[in-house]
Amino acid sequence: AQSVTQLDSQVPVFEEAPVELRCNYSSSVSVYLFWYVQYPNQGLQLLLKYLSGSTLVKGINGFEAEFNKSQTSFHLRKPSVHISDTAEYFCAVKTDRGSTLGRLYFGRGTQLTVWP
Amino acid sequence: DTGVSQDPRHKITKRGQNVTFRCDPISEHNRLYWYRQTLGQGPEFLTYFQNEAQLEKSRLLSDRFSAERPKGSFSTLEIQRTEQGDSAMYLCASSSPRQKSTDTQYFGPGTRLTVL
C-alpha cells in the first residue's frame, strides 16, 4: 500500500520569504508524484507533477519540487511567496502497477499562510 | 476548455434522507473519479470509472453509497439514508490517459454536504 506524510500541518511565513513544504511517501513500487493546491471552498488545482526524467520539476505560480528517490521525498519550494499563495497544499502519489492503478493517495495537507 | 463541473455546490439535508450529486467531466476524458474530503484531511478515494465501467471501489464506499456512469459521460453519486458522518466535501476528478498509469487527474469544485 502507498502512504503520504506531510510533515507540517501549518506553515506561516512572511511575504517574499522562501518556503518549503515537506512531503514523504512510502511505496513498494514505482510512483508518480503530484502537488495540488486548494483555496477555501474550492476543488484541487494541479501545481506540478513528477512522472519520470529530471528530478527537479517546475510548476505553476513559481513553485518547484524535487524528487529524491533515496529519501522518498518530494518537497515543494518557492523562493519568494505572495499573500495570494495562502492556501492548503496537498501532496499525492499514484502507482504504476497493481490493483490500485486508478487512485491517488493524498497526504493530510499543509496550510500555508503568508503574512504581510 | 471547460473543466470538471459538479452540481450542486452545496447540499444541506436531514439525517436519513437520500442525496444525489452529479459530476460532468472534461469532455474528452474517459476516466472519472470520486473522492471524499473531511475537515482537516486530504481527499480519500471512493471509486473510479473508465467509460461506463466501475473499475475500482474503496472500502469507504459502504452499501449506502452507489455511483453510476451510465453512458460514459457524466456520473452520479448517491448516498442513501444519510448519517452525520457523511458530512464532507465530495470531489470529482477526470483524466484521459495517453499512457497507462501516467494520466493526471483534474478536479472539480466539489459538493459540500452537510447532514443535520
Side-chain angles (χ1 to χ4, degrees), chain B residues 1-4 25-29 94 106:
Chain B
D1 177 26
T2 57
V4 178
I26 294 171
S27 59
E28 66 269 23
H29 285 185
S94 70
Y106 296 91

Side-chain angles (χ1 to χ4, degrees), chain A residues 15-47:
Chain A
E15 195 173 19
E16 297 183 6
V19 71
E20 178 180 82
L21 306 184
R22 297 181 292 170
C23 172
N24 287 85
Y25 68 92
S26 173
S27 176
S28 58
V29 298
S30 298
V31 297
Y32 305 108
L33 296 151
F34 305 82
W35 275 99
Y36 286 87
V37 60
Q38 186 176 36
Y39 299 100
N41 297 314
Q42 294 188 25
L44 278 70
Q45 180 181 3
L46 180 68
L47 270 180

Side-chain angles (χ1 to χ4, degrees), chain B residues 9-24:
Chain B
R9 294 290 307 276
H10 304 275
K11 178 69 176 180
I12 300 174
T13 191
K14 293 182 179 179
R15 189 176 54 184
Q17 297 295 306
N18 298 343
V19 295
T20 300
F21 309 140
R22 176 180 170 126
C23 171
D24 286 88

